[in-house]
Amino acid sequence: MYKRQEIEDTLQPVIRMFRHPIYHNILLMHVLAVIWLAGALVALVRYVMRYKSLFRYLSVRDTENYDTVLKKYGLDSRHYDGIEKIHFVYAGQVDSPCTAGIKKPYILLPEKEYSREQMHYILLHEIMHIKNKDLLWIILIEVLCISFWWNPLLSYIKSQMLQLVEIRNDSRIMKEMDEKETVFYMQALVDTVKNTKKSEIVCSVSFNNNGMKVLKRRLKFIANGTQITHMAQIGLVVLTGLILVVNV
């Protein structure tokens, strides 16, 4: 009880500062609240505009049938469960293969050539993202970053969440691989990061578009056979919630 009173006494100067009148009945906390909401609204509008822009772009692009993509690389559809529901688009705007769309999933492919082996692992990786509905996690963390745009911890949490999504995806794919296939998968990750610029496509997850530092971390997890569970992601979200509660 004493400690609680001590904390309240310590916070009294801060509380008085926020309740300080600036103009008539307008308090400092009212001004800060308006700035908070205005910043969140601007960030939300920009995010929605980028989202709509992406799907306007996809709507005017010619989509490739999965059979066409598989035939081009000599791959068998039996290795890619659910591929028949996915739309493929060759997009000059992306440097690394990525997935976009929830109800209508797309795999965006750069306008560059890949080997048969590379495309095999790209498809396994992106299809796993779609199965896991990882885009929902991406949207969740984006909403949190928009809502609490003033909190620098959110940027760090976002980067950790994105890495966690990729590492968990890698670990799930590796469950079906032997040691030789794991090495080939790691090599495909290294090959695709070469000559790839870091760019962010709104509401998407990429095969390998986070730079060499993140790639090294992913390769370390793969080499060690580390498994990232669904609970690890939930734990990070809970931690984010606690940080936000403390800051409100």
Side-chain angles (χ1 to χ4, degrees):
M1 189 71 175
Y2 174 74
K3 287 185 177 180
R4 180 178 177 183
Q5 185 63 46
E6 189 177 282
I7 293 172
E8 290 179 355
D9 291 341
T10 304
L11 291 176
Q12 280 305 313
V14 178
I15 295 172
R16 284 197 296 269
M17 180 186 71
F18 281 108
R19 291 178 176 174
H20 178 73
I22 295 177
Y23 182 76
H24 292 298
N25 293 327
I26 301 175
L27 308 182
L28 175 60
M29 64 181 182
H30 296 153
V31 176
L32 293 177
V34 170
I35 294 173
W36 180 356
L37 292 174
L41 182 60
V42 170
L44 178 61
V45 169
R46 289 179 61 188
Y47 184 77
V48 171
M49 288 178 66
R50 289 173 61 204
Y51 183 85
K52 288 185 175 181
S53 177
L54 170 63
F55 282 91
R56 277 198 302 268
Y57 172 79
L58 293 176
S59 67
V60 299
R61 300 286 295 186
D62 293 329
T63 57
E64 294 280 351
N65 187 274
Y66 75 95
D67 279 334
T68 305
V69 176
L70 295 179
K71 185 177 180 180
K72 178 180 178 180
Y73 291 95
L75 299 171
D76 190 338
S77 62
R78 289 175 294 181
H79 297 300
Y80 314 103
D81 184 37
I83 194 172
E84 67 279 354
K85 299 176 183 178
I86 300 170
H87 305 270
F88 289 84
V89 173
Y90 285 97
Q93 289 186 342
V94 300
D95 286 317
S96 178
C98 63
T99 299
I102 298 174
K103 289 185 177 180
K104 186 178 180 181
Y106 288 86
I107 291 180
L108 281 64
L109 299 172
E111 293 176 341
K112 60 176 74 171
E113 290 299 319
Y114 292 101
S115 68
R116 178 181 183 276
E117 194 171 81
Q118 287 173 337
M119 183 55 66
H120 169 65
Y121 293 116
I122 286 170
L123 292 179
L124 288 179
H125 185 92
E126 298 305 329
I127 290 172
M128 184 63 74
H129 273 311
I130 293 170
K131 284 183 179 179
N132 293 339
K133 299 189 183 302
D134 285 332
L135 284 174
L136 294 177
W137 289 103
I138 305 301
I139 293 172
L140 172 62
I141 195 64
E142 286 290 353
V143 169
L144 290 175
C145 287
I146 288 170
S147 301
F148 297 89
W149 55 269
W150 45 267
N151 190 334
L153 285 175
L154 264 295
S155 296
Y156 173 76
I157 291 173
K158 177 182 177 180
S159 68
Q160 295 303 303
M161 174 68 85
L162 295 178
Q163 289 183 44
L164 200 59
V165 166
E166 292 299 337
I167 292 170
R168 187 187 71 149
N169 209 50
D170 294 334
S171 67
R172 289 193 171 185
I173 292 171
M174 288 187 307
K175 286 182 180 180
E176 309 298 326
M177 293 182 183
D178 57 28
E179 186 176 339
K180 184 178 179 181
E181 286 179 309
T182 300
V183 172
F184 287 153
Y185 179 70
M186 293 169 70
Q187 186 60 52
L189 288 172
V190 172
D191 290 340
T192 54
V193 82
K194 295 175 182 176
N195 301 318
T196 297
K197 298 177 182 178
K198 186 176 180 180
S199 60
E200 188 175 346
I201 304 297
V202 66
C203 195
S204 68
V205 278
S206 172
F207 179 66
N208 196 6
N209 193 31
N210 296 303
M212 187 58 71
K213 185 177 179 180
V214 175
L215 175 60
K216 287 179 179 178
R217 187 181 180 191
R218 288 173 65 183
L219 294 177
K220 184 178 179 180
F221 271 83
I222 293 172
N224 293 336
T226 306
Q227 297 294 318
I228 301 296
T229 65
H230 188 66
M231 291 304 297
Q233 281 184 286
I234 294 176
L236 188 56
V237 172
V238 171
L239 176 62
T240 303
L242 292 173
I243 292 172
L244 297 179
V245 168
V246 169
N247 281 273
V248 171

